[in-house]
Amino acid sequence: MRGIHYLSKLKAANLPPELLEKGQNRGELLRALGGVKASATLLGVPLGHNSSFLQGPAFAPPRIREAIWCGSTNSSTEEGCENSKELNDPRVLTDVGDVPVQEIRDCGVDDDILMNVISESVKLVMEEDPLHPLVLGGDHSISFPVVRAVSEKLGGPVDILHLDAHPDIYHCFEGNKYSHASSFARIMEGGYARRLLQVGIRSITKEGREQGKRFGVEQYEMQTFSRDRQMLENLKLGEGVKGVYISIDVDCLDPAFAPGVSHIEPGGLSFRDVLNILHNLQADVVAGDVVEFNPQRDTVDGMTGMVAAKLVRELAAKISK
């Protein structure tokens, strides 16, 4: 019955109505508090069916939230001491819940409509000043509808910093235009990004390189990371565009740091490499995502969940102003 009720609302409004009320409440709170230009706002998109190997990332959003608020740590970020970036401060982080992906699919909605629903959900968040979306995946296919929404809502392209073991830029992987391996092809085709920098790449095919050249992508492979490190740890992005979007695929990290991913690819970035890139980045970060954490492949003590949560913490600090 709930699915039928949701489908009627979806047809009428074309977006999850639950997010509207939550977003309004969070926006009203922050406007009442004052003194905040941007607050990172968690939006879960538990989508896994566009994975080419395992669908476990669909289970990630609640596990990431659990890890964020785990009693083994606290609410501070590494920017906390200097800039008072504490996650228990709603000016730094709020949460509007999840897009009900499985419920929508159970109603027979196809991926074209589902991607539109995800985009409209992101726009709902952005309509409530000063909320800025920080999206919890899900597989990497979610980045296309999220980036599309951010670009359309802001009125122009963004620069994208994409950390990943793979370029995810196949034209149409295994016949699926929405594959998690094709998300950045859809982004670049749509003109939603001016610059796309891909860092941590160590599993790339001939097509991946050709697509990169076609779209003018700046691809930084791990085999040359020692040479590129100084530049990558001192990036300045976003001049002349509407802001910067950061997409972090957890498998950008070496599996020694994050074994709970679907596509284990040795030879990746260390966790501190990633934080150095994020912390030193000079940019107006307007939105971001953390994707491809697969709880079904995590270690018993949830190590990768804590890694994903830490990435969310530091992205929230980067977005909040």
Side-chain angles (χ1 to χ4, degrees):
M1 291 297 294
R2 188 182 175 197
I4 295 172
H5 173 68
Y6 179 78
L7 182 57
S8 66
K9 286 184 174 289
L10 176 63
K11 288 178 178 177
N14 203 33
L15 45 85
E18 296 88 351
L19 297 177
L20 180 60
E21 181 178 356
K22 289 181 180 179
Q24 288 175 336
N25 290 341
R26 305 302 186 274
E28 288 172 2
L29 170 63
L30 292 175
R31 289 191 293 272
L33 288 172
V36 54
K37 295 181 180 179
S39 172
T41 302
L42 298 182
L43 174 66
V45 183
L47 187 156
H49 67 273
N50 283 322
S51 295
S52 59
F53 181 46
L54 300 173
Q55 297 190 10
F59 303 103
R63 298 293 292 274
I64 296 174
R65 288 186 175 95
E66 179 183 354
I68 289 171
W69 304 112
C70 175
S72 73
T73 185
N74 55 50
S75 66
S76 66
T77 72
E78 293 198 11
E79 294 189 32
C81 295
E82 182 179 352
N83 298 312
S84 300
K85 297 291 181 72
E86 302 280 340
L87 296 192
N88 58 7
D89 183 342
R91 294 171 297 180
V92 177
L93 184 69
T94 56
D95 193 340
V96 295
D98 293 350
V99 177
V101 171
Q102 192 56 53
E103 186 177 34
I104 295 171
R105 295 189 74 222
D106 288 346
C107 294
V109 172
D110 65 22
D111 261 11
D112 288 329
I113 296 176
L114 177 58
M115 292 296 167
N116 289 337
V117 171
I118 294 169
S119 290
E120 292 304 314
S121 299
V122 171
K123 290 179 182 179
L124 267 182
V125 172
M126 297 178 70
E127 284 176 5
E128 289 298 320
D129 184 57
L131 306 187
H132 285 242
L134 176 47
V135 180
L136 307 178
D139 66 48
H140 220 150
S141 67
I142 71 165
S143 291
F144 162 59
V146 176
V147 170
R148 176 177 64 182
V150 170
S151 174
E152 289 180 349
K153 191 65 178 175
L154 295 178
V158 293
D159 284 350
I160 300 177
L161 175 61
H162 169 205
L163 305 177
D164 202 327
H166 318 87
D168 293 349
I169 202 165
Y170 284 98
H171 174 66
C172 188
F173 191 71
E174 296 181 341
N176 181 6
K177 68 178 180 180
Y178 292 128
S179 169
H180 70 159
S182 299
S183 50
F184 287 91
R186 303 289 84 77
I187 288 169
M188 299 308 288
E189 286 171 354
Y192 303 120
R194 178 189 64 175
R195 291 180 68 185
L196 171 58
L197 285 76
Q198 299 183 319
V199 180
I201 305 299
R202 56 196 185 276
S203 179
I204 183 171
T205 64
K206 179 181 179 182
E207 181 180 347
R209 290 193 172 91
E210 290 175 346
Q211 285 281 87
K213 291 178 181 177
R214 173 190 173 194
F215 292 118
V217 179
E218 300 163 59
Q219 294 176 330
Y220 297 95
E221 299 185 41
M222 282 307 301
Q223 62 179 340
T224 60
F225 183 72
S226 59
R227 181 194 69 193
D228 300 329
R229 176 190 295 273
Q230 184 174 2
M231 181 273 293
L232 293 173
E233 291 184 352
N234 293 278
L235 288 171
K236 187 174 183 179
L237 300 175
E239 289 186 347
V241 291
K242 298 296 183 178
V244 173
Y245 186 96
I246 299 178
S247 181
I248 303 180
D249 185 320
V250 177
D251 71 24
C252 73
L253 293 160
D254 190 273
F257 299 91
V261 296
S262 298
H263 299 267
I264 293 172
E265 192 66 43
L269 296 161
S270 75
F271 193 80
R272 187 50 55 180
D273 291 335
V274 172
L275 290 196
N276 286 343
I277 291 170
L278 293 181
H279 289 159
N280 295 331
L281 173 65
Q282 298 180 56
D284 176 20
V285 180
V286 294
D289 64 53
V290 175
V291 299
E292 295 287 355
F293 164 44
N294 185 345
Q296 295 179 330
R297 302 197 87 185
D298 205 1
T299 54
V300 174
D301 54 359
M303 182 177 82
T304 312
M306 295 301 290
V307 167
K310 176 77 169 181
L311 293 171
V312 170
R313 288 171 179 268
E314 300 309 311
L315 267 181
K318 201 72 181 178
I319 291 171
S320 63
K321 303 174 184 64

